[in-house]
Amino acid sequence: MQKLEQIYEGKAKKVFKTDDPELLIVDYKDDATAFNGLKKGTILGKGVINNQMSNRLMAKMEKAGIPTHFVRELSQRETLVKRVAIVPLEVIVRNISAGSFAKRYGVEEGIVFDQPTIEFSYKNDALGDPLLNTYHALALKLATAEEIETIKNYAFAVNEVLKAFWAECGVTLVDFKLEFGKVADGSIVLADEISPDTCRLWDAKTHEKLDKDRFRRDLGGVEDAYAEIMKRLLDHDAQ
Ligand code: 5GP
């Protein structure tokens, strides 16, 4: 499959057309940003890890009956995906308090919830991705009520599959962000990526952070953390 014209360059990925109008190629970069682009840097090798990890996790979602945009891995950094119209919602599922949840509600990080939470942000960099509820999403016509229901169901289903998988790798899934898209027939599929950029992943025993918080919070050992979490996945899948 040949890369044609670039149609988009985001913070962590570039997207190219192909000769099939329903298929695109995503090319993962090593660029890292945080705090709505205020903090910028490079995480060497991140693009390769996020591409390969996301593809393996997307394949697990498909196996569990959750439709995704994933078609096939083309190279270390490139993947063929279905063209989707991204639903402009960031869907965040949390199992444990951390990050903006801990800050917003004035609680410590690490509180294990009795049941997972879900929240939506309006995917809009100019506005700083403001939090919104389903009524706001409907008022802004970001999605239909039926689509939001489907997205919620898929997001919680992703949580169950991901949580169980990472537990088998000795990793606690704290929270994560998903994005969904609409394919040509109008159905909703999981899009974007599932990676240490978009998930909080803590070592189950030591609670060491194995994700992008090492970059966001200047904790050091960023590349090592990405390599370690990838190794856990590969070791698990090799068994
Ligand atoms: P928080 O709202 O606590 O900052 O983030 C919750 C979870 O969603 C974390 O796992 C974080 O990585 C992910 N997340 C939230 N917003 C973004 C975003 O704009 N980009 C990325 N890569 N991840 C995000």
Side-chain angles (χ1 to χ4, degrees):
M1 190 62 70
Q2 201 63 29
K3 251 179 178 172
L4 300 178
E5 168 202 352
Q6 181 178 312
I7 54 169
Y8 171 79
E9 177 160 8
K11 286 173 253 180
K13 299 185 280 288
K14 294 178 187 172
V15 182
F16 296 85
K17 280 188 177 172
T18 68
D19 52 20
D20 182 332
E22 296 310 326
L23 297 175
L24 300 174
I25 292 173
V26 178
D27 188 337
Y28 285 74
K29 307 189 287 184
D30 285 350
D31 299 354
T33 64
F35 314 118
N36 200 18
L38 281 179
K39 183 179 169 83
K40 287 193 177 74
T42 303
I43 301 174
L44 279 179
K46 171 172 87 79
V48 174
I49 288 174
N50 285 8
N51 181 43
Q52 297 178 348
M53 182 178 293
S54 189
N55 291 343
R56 282 168 173 78
L57 295 175
M58 289 280 181
K60 292 179 199 302
M61 297 308 142
E62 290 278 355
K63 219 172 147 193
I66 304 155
T68 78
H69 71 161
F70 175 61
V71 179
R72 97 174 161 266
E73 192 165 289
L74 298 176
S75 73
Q76 285 202 319
R77 289 178 186 271
E78 294 165 314
T79 292
L80 190 65
V81 297
K82 292 176 191 156
R83 186 175 64 85
V84 301
I86 288 285
V87 177
L89 292 172
E90 295 200 341
V91 181
I92 295 168
V93 177
R94 301 178 192 268
N95 297 303
I96 297 177
S97 66
S100 71
F101 182 98
K103 198 170 170 206
R104 186 180 322 120
Y105 301 118
V107 296
E108 63 194 279
E109 295 200 317
I111 302 165
V112 180
F113 302 147
D114 290 341
Q115 56 181 51
T117 68
I118 193 163
E119 71 208 40
F120 298 105
S121 295
Y122 180 21
K123 192 173 149 58
N124 184 319
D125 281 341
L127 299 176
D129 298 340
L131 198 64
L132 47 61
N133 66 30
T134 53
Y135 294 93
H136 299 142
L138 289 173
L140 293 167
K141 295 197 177 358
L142 304 182
T144 67
E146 196 191 348
E147 286 164 356
I148 292 173
E149 195 53 32
T150 302
I151 286 172
K152 266 192 209 167
N153 291 336
Y154 285 163
F156 281 127
V158 168
N159 186 43
E160 292 311 313
V161 180
L162 260 193
K163 203 167 48 174
F165 169 74
W166 282 122
E168 288 172 10
C169 301
V171 172
T172 302
L173 176 64
V174 175
D175 58 27
F176 56 95
K177 185 257 306 180
L178 300 175
E179 294 184 23
F180 292 86
K182 276 203 280 185
V183 288
D185 71 4
S187 62
I188 297 280
V189 301
L190 179 61
D192 193 47
E193 66 181 278
I194 311 174
S195 73
D197 272 18
T198 62
C199 302
R200 284 197 173 94
L201 301 162
W202 294 352
D203 179 90
K205 285 206 188 87
T206 65
H207 296 179
E208 187 192 356
K209 296 183 200 316
L210 299 172
D211 58 58
K212 196 174 159 188
D213 269 353
R214 299 206 76 85
F215 169 78
R216 294 188 187 103
R217 302 179 186 191
D218 294 322
L219 298 176
V222 185
E223 277 90 357
D224 287 348
Y226 277 69
E228 172 63 21
I229 197 77
M230 188 65 195
K231 183 177 177 297
R232 301 265 186 115
L233 183 153
L234 293 176
D235 285 352
H236 175 282
D237 284 1
Q239 279 167 22

